[in-house]
Amino acid sequence: MSVLEIRDLHVTVETDAGITPILNGVTLTIRTGQTHAIMGPNGSGKSTLAYTIAGHPKYKVTAGTITLDGEDVLAMTVDERARRGLFLAMQYPVEIPGVTVTNFLRTAKTAIDGEAPSIRTWTKDVKQSMKNLRMDPKFAQRNVNEGFSGGEKKRHEILQLELLKPSIAILDETDSGLDVDALKIVSEGVNRAKGETDLGVLLITHYTRILRYIHPDFVHVMIGGRIVEEGGPELADRLEDEGYDSYLEPFAEAAADVEA
């Protein structure tokens, strides 16, 4: 079993206005086999948390720790984090001209496992995963995400998830831009990966619709760079009915007091 532990994490980012605090003391523990959903409005720090775990150089950790099975994640390079079992499905997957999906996937698998997979087995696995995700087999010979629609990019992210078999996956608004059919297919892929490998999932989302298909064990509400409430699936149902206003009002009042 793998355990990702985040303790009192503070993160800043440099903007045109100067150094801006984004995360203000996030504490969270994710174990394999668990699904955690982090919900909150735009600007609450959800994506910053995802990219900080993955090692994006834009985000500077000023306090706190991130460990994976007791080892310091913040001391690892981005590729070391991936090899240790961390996976990030990006909200906006990037295009990689000149690199085919086939070459990208096999190169990544080789780097993670330390040896190249058997061609026969690997080809079979790729074809089956693409079939499960309703992806045209021709996509295997196209350049990574180049000319892909938003839904196709998200399916390709889940294709990577299924084939690379990480221990902890961070899914950053994987539901954004998906129609109902694509949402179901992507969710089925996540559930399939979890069922096959006991994957731990940190699912970042604004809305509850994806939670109808990927059922969380824990729900966390993030506001102002902090987790302000935690609960089970019933918390997501309450957010669906009530929204975030009750959480935002105290922050608005505090900001007004500071300005005064």
Side-chain angles (χ1 to χ4, degrees), residues 135-237:
M135 294 181 72
D136 188 329
K138 294 178 182 177
F139 274 79
Q141 300 307 318
R142 291 177 60 178
N143 292 336
V144 173
N145 293 325
E146 194 170 44
F148 287 23
S149 69
E152 289 164 348
K153 289 180 179 179
K154 295 302 178 70
R155 293 187 201 202
H156 181 230
E157 294 287 285
I158 304 308
L159 177 65
Q160 297 170 48
L161 175 66
E162 288 200 52
L163 293 169
L164 300 181
K165 303 185 184 306
S167 55
I168 304 288
I170 301 103
L171 310 181
D172 186 18
E173 298 194 33
T174 298
D175 53 339
S176 65
L178 297 182
D179 60 27
V180 173
D181 290 336
L183 179 64
K184 289 180 180 179
I185 292 167
V186 163
S187 298
E188 287 169 359
V190 175
N191 290 332
R192 193 162 47 245
K194 184 178 178 184
E196 292 175 356
T197 64
D198 203 31
L199 177 71
V201 177
L202 176 59
L203 175 62
I204 294 170
T205 184
H206 290 292
Y207 309 109
T208 59
R209 64 175 191 153
I210 195 171
L211 303 184
R212 298 169 192 163
Y213 307 106
I214 302 174
H215 303 296
D217 301 297
F218 307 94
V219 175
H220 313 268
V221 182
M222 181 175 281
I223 304 288
R226 297 182 178 89
I227 292 175
V228 297
E229 187 168 359
E230 298 175 301
E234 71 284 349
L235 178 53
D237 295 334

Side-chain angles (χ1 to χ4, degrees), residues 229-248:
E229 187 168 359
E230 298 175 301
E234 71 284 349
L235 178 53
D237 295 334
R238 200 178 88 210
L239 290 171
E240 176 78 8
D241 294 333
E242 301 176 5
Y244 299 108
D245 285 350
S246 63
Y247 300 104
L248 292 170

Side-chain angles (χ1 to χ4, degrees), residues 33-194:
Q34 296 179 343
T35 297
H36 293 250
I38 291 189
M39 305 184 69
N42 282 329
S44 57
K46 304 185 302 299
S47 291
T48 295
L49 176 61
Y51 285 103
T52 301
I53 295 171
H56 196 299
K58 175 181 177 181
Y59 303 98
K60 182 178 179 181
V61 175
T62 57
T65 61
I66 304 175
T67 60
L68 180 64
D69 300 333
E71 294 192 20
D72 184 4
V73 170
L74 298 177
M76 300 178 189
T77 62
V78 173
D79 61 301
E80 286 173 339
R81 299 179 200 208
R83 285 197 295 269
R84 286 300 314 275
L86 293 177
F87 176 89
L88 172 65
M90 295 183 286
Q91 183 179 359
Y92 303 109
V94 297
E95 297 183 2
I96 309 178
V99 179
T100 65
V101 168
T102 295
N103 287 339
F104 173 78
L105 290 171
R106 194 161 191 268
T107 299
K109 184 66 170 176
T110 300
I112 288 171
D113 291 354
E115 61 180 5
S118 162
I119 288 289
R120 180 177 296 179
T121 303
W122 178 248
T123 300
K124 180 182 177 181
D125 290 344
V126 171
K127 287 182 177 179
Q128 185 59 54
S129 291
M130 293 186 76
K131 181 179 179 181
N132 291 340
L133 290 164
R134 320 288 203 275
M135 294 181 72
D136 188 329
K138 294 178 182 177
F139 274 79
Q141 300 307 318
R142 291 177 60 178
N143 292 336
V144 173
N145 293 325
E146 194 170 44
F148 287 23
S149 69
E152 289 164 348
K153 289 180 179 179
K154 295 302 178 70
R155 293 187 201 202
H156 181 230
E157 294 287 285
I158 304 308
L159 177 65
Q160 297 170 48
L161 175 66
E162 288 200 52
L163 293 169
L164 300 181
K165 303 185 184 306
S167 55
I168 304 288
I170 301 103
L171 310 181
D172 186 18
E173 298 194 33
T174 298
D175 53 339
S176 65
L178 297 182
D179 60 27
V180 173
D181 290 336
L183 179 64
K184 289 180 180 179
I185 292 167
V186 163
S187 298
E188 287 169 359
V190 175
N191 290 332
R192 193 162 47 245
K194 184 178 178 184

